[in-house]
Amino acid sequence: MAFRIQRGQRLQGHKANPDRKVILIKTAPSPRFENEVETLELRQGHNSIRQLLDVTDSPQSMVLEFLDKNLYNASCEQRLQRPDVKRAVKVALEELAVLNANGRVPTDQF
């Protein structure tokens, strides 16, 4: 069952957001939701993974760190130098290796 979350809707989480930072709310079907939360908790604190800030119960959703840039957006703003591209690919491959070592196979962007 899909839940619609509307802009400005208040969600009751377990943690506070006193700085009123911009956040991202994500929902998913139940089995996938639990898997994503577990995977994000596994990589909590790693700087190349979007951080899970909280989980809400009704509707069931994840409160995620908002990242204003990604590799694609950065490359549209200016041409990336070869060392930057190599570093980004290396970090992505290292994260895939860690996830795979823990029995995870990502099927979404990270």
Side-chain angles (χ1 to χ4, degrees):
M1 178 177 190
F3 291 100
R4 300 201 98 190
I5 298 174
Q6 299 186 10
R7 186 180 186 97
Q9 179 179 346
R10 296 181 75 87
L11 301 174
Q12 184 63 44
H14 303 283
K15 299 177 185 171
N17 183 8
D19 301 332
R20 301 194 53 87
K21 295 185 287 187
V22 176
I23 56 171
L24 176 74
I25 304 293
K26 182 176 182 180
T27 61
S30 194
R32 187 171 138 206
F33 179 84
E34 284 91 13
N35 185 45
E36 286 196 40
V37 169
E38 196 175 300
T39 300
L40 287 169
E41 287 173 342
L42 177 71
R43 302 307 296 148
Q44 197 70 10
H46 197 280
N47 64 358
S48 64
I49 297 289
R50 183 186 306 269
Q51 296 298 296
L52 177 67
L53 303 175
D54 200 357
V55 176
T56 66
D57 297 324
S58 180
Q60 189 177 34
S61 58
M62 292 172 264
V63 180
L64 301 168
E65 171 185 34
F66 178 78
L67 302 175
D68 57 348
K69 280 198 174 185
N70 59 35
L71 188 58
Y72 176 76
N73 291 344
S75 68
C76 288
E77 289 177 10
Q78 69 180 36
R79 182 176 171 88
L80 297 177
Q81 300 299 316
R82 184 176 177 90
D84 297 327
V85 174
K86 287 176 76 173
R87 182 181 174 280
V89 171
K90 180 181 178 186
V91 168
L93 291 173
E94 288 172 348
E95 283 303 315
L96 283 172
V98 169
L99 292 174
N100 288 333
N102 287 290
R104 305 280 182 204
V105 179
T107 59
D108 197 5
Q109 298 176 3
F110 63 94

